[in-house]
């Protein structure tokens, strides 16, 4: 009987140890605020109020440039305000302190707004500057265990980052835009420089127009 009890006790200890390994340890307090890598590329799925699209985010902080490609731009509030009611690819190209919109299939390129107007590249430390608040451990749409943060702007913005390797997993701008990033496809390193070249055959210096770019330029949005 004593041997049987020892076996049972050992079994219980092993179970408790396994559970401890699988359970998140938050007893030491919240993790440090997220900081993005200096440069990376990461695909995403995006769901808006009225539609869904795929895209890729290219980030190059050292050279102060970024690019966001969407298979369809009409669900994006900026692209969709310039070219509406058409499912067509749209890219945000941020370079030299200016945010351009590029619609390759429509042979259209225009200038939306500048860094001084709040349209520059996203800072690596934007969580600190925006006063992000830790919410706790939560699973994102893909079922990944993440640390969840709240960044309060004009609207609540929730950010999920994987616990172990701290990879961006999801960004939900309540209520209209939810980007779920492919964590396993995140690639560190500087994207090819050619991605940030504006199309030479188009005049990208013309103003985009549309309500969103117009409001940003008047300092009424963002």
């Amino acid at each position: 009987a004593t041997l049987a009890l020892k076996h049972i006790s050992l079994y219980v200890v092993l179970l408790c140890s396994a559970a401890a390994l699988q359970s998140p340890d938050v007893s030491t307090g919240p993790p440090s605020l997220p900081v993005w890598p200096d440069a990376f590329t990461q695909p995403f799925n995006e769901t808006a109020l009225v539609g869904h699209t795929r895209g890729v985010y290219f980030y190059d902080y050292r050279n102060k440039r970024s690019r966001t490609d969407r298979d369809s731009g009409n669900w994006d509030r900026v692209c969709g305000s310039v070219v509406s009611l058409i499912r067509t690819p749209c890219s945000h190209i941020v370079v030299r302190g200016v945010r351009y919109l590029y619609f390759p299939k429509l042979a259209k390129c225009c200038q939306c707004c500048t860094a001084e107007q709040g349209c520059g590249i996203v800072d690596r430390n934007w969580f600190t500057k925006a006063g992000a608040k830790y919410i706790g451990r939560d699973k994102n749409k893909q079922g990944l265990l993440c640390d969840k943060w709240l960044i309060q702007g004009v609207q609540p913005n929730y950010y999920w980052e994987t616990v172990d390797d701290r990879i961006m997993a999801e960004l939900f701008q309540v209520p209209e835009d939810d980007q779920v990033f492919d964590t396993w496809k995140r690639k560190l390193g500087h994207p090819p420089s050619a991605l940030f070249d504006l199309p030479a055959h188009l005049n990208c210096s013309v103003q985009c127009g549309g309500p969103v770019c117009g409001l940003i330029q008047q300092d009424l949005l963002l």
Side-chain angles (χ1 to χ4, degrees):
T2 303
L3 182 61
L5 285 174
K6 286 183 178 179
H7 285 167
I8 292 172
S9 298
L10 178 60
Y11 181 66
V12 170
V13 168
L14 290 174
L15 281 179
C16 292
S17 300
L21 289 172
Q22 294 174 5
S23 301
D25 180 13
V26 294
S27 60
T28 57
S32 59
L33 287 165
V35 178
W36 278 0
D38 182 66
F40 64 92
T41 299
Q42 193 169 3
F44 61 86
N45 282 289
E46 185 171 31
T47 302
L49 288 176
V50 291
H52 171 84
T53 191
R54 284 281 296 171
V56 184
Y57 186 54
F58 306 92
Y59 185 75
D60 186 354
Y61 184 73
R62 185 182 305 172
N63 294 299
K64 298 296 184 288
R65 57 192 185 183
S66 68
R67 175 169 175 155
T68 307
D69 290 347
R70 289 178 171 87
D71 292 346
S72 179
N74 60 328
W75 312 131
D76 174 58
R77 66 173 179 169
V78 183
C79 293
S81 73
V82 175
V83 175
S84 58
L85 305 178
I86 300 176
R87 289 183 58 86
T88 190
C90 176
S91 297
H92 288 235
I93 303 175
V94 181
V95 63
R96 293 182 294 276
V98 178
R99 182 174 297 265
Y100 299 92
L101 301 182
Y102 175 40
F103 302 86
K105 289 189 177 181
L106 302 179
K108 178 180 177 65
C109 182
C110 58
Q111 177 178 323
C112 179
C113 45
T114 66
E116 290 75 16
Q117 295 164 334
C119 287
I121 184 174
V122 177
D123 195 283
R124 292 182 64 208
N125 296 290
W126 68 276
F127 303 92
T128 300
K129 295 183 177 182
K133 295 182 179 179
Y134 185 63
I135 301 298
R137 294 278 168 88
D138 186 27
K139 289 185 177 180
N140 81 327
K141 294 288 194 310
Q142 295 170 329
L144 300 175
L145 181 62
C146 296
D147 287 310
K148 183 178 179 180
W149 304 82
L150 167 64
I151 305 96
Q152 185 64 53
V154 177
Q155 70 223 33
N157 302 280
Y158 292 99
Y159 180 85
W160 287 258
E161 181 183 72
T162 57
V163 171
D164 295 331
D165 38 19
R166 307 204 69 170
I167 297 176
M168 175 168 59
E170 186 172 351
L171 176 61
F172 182 27
Q173 302 175 67
V174 180
E176 81 276 9
D177 189 78
D178 191 6
Q179 290 176 292
V180 180
F181 291 85
D182 296 344
T183 56
W184 64 96
K185 292 183 179 179
R186 203 256 327 245
K187 180 181 178 181
L188 295 176
H190 296 277
S193 292
L195 282 170
F196 305 101
D197 292 340
L198 298 174
H201 62 292
L202 298 175
N203 180 11
C204 295
S205 63
V206 297
Q207 297 297 313
C208 286
V212 175
C213 293
L215 288 172
I216 294 172
Q217 291 165 10
Q218 296 174 51
D219 203 22
L220 297 176
L221 193 66
L222 294 184

